[in-house]
Each structure stands twice: as C-alpha cells, then as structure tokens.
Amino acid sequence: MTTIEVDGRSIQVPSDLSVKEALEVLGFSIAMHPSDKGLFMPCQVGGCWACALEIDGAHRPACTTQVQEGG
C-alpha cells in the first residue's frame, strides 16, 4: 500500500496504481466524453493531457503517472 494525499487528505491505495486508477478506487467518476459526468480523461495513454493534475508541484497526466508515497 502507498499513502497519497488527495485534497489535503492522506489515503492509502494499492502501490501498483496510476493516479487515475487511485482516484477511481477513492470513488471519483472518470469521464471518457466531455458531456459525461466526472473527471474528463479521454485518451487513457497520456497523449492528450486532458487529465493533467498538479502532482508534487508539477502538472502530470493522471492516467500514466504512478502513485508514489506521499504524492
């Protein structure tokens, strides 16, 4: 397990997840189309950067960035 911080809250998730997968485990909805409800993450391979989040002070694609302890 890896401890990550989401919206100021420390949470444990499995270590082998991407940030996108960790958000899904935490109950966030992922949207494939802009009209769908949830976080818009259409390409799932990091090419479009639509899923970019601030991770450890830098913008990174959530779909391809692995969770890291304390991140």
Side-chain angles (χ1 to χ4, degrees):
M1 298 296 278
T2 299
T3 302
I4 62 171
E5 187 175 309
V6 178
D7 292 337
R9 218 174 53 171
S10 291
I11 303 163
Q12 284 199 324
V13 296
S15 300
D16 61 344
L17 299 180
S18 68
V19 172
K20 174 201 156 281
E21 292 167 329
L23 291 172
E24 287 179 297
V25 167
L26 297 172
F28 286 83
S29 295
I30 304 301
M32 295 294 289
H33 304 285
S35 60
D36 294 340
K37 190 174 185 178
L39 300 171
F40 183 49
M41 298 186 185
C43 82
Q44 307 294 309
V45 294
C48 72
W49 280 68
C51 66
L53 298 172
E54 185 175 329
I55 301 170
D56 294 334
H59 289 93
R60 298 184 186 160
C63 65
T64 59
T65 302
Q66 292 299 119
V67 294
Q68 295 180 343
E69 191 70 33

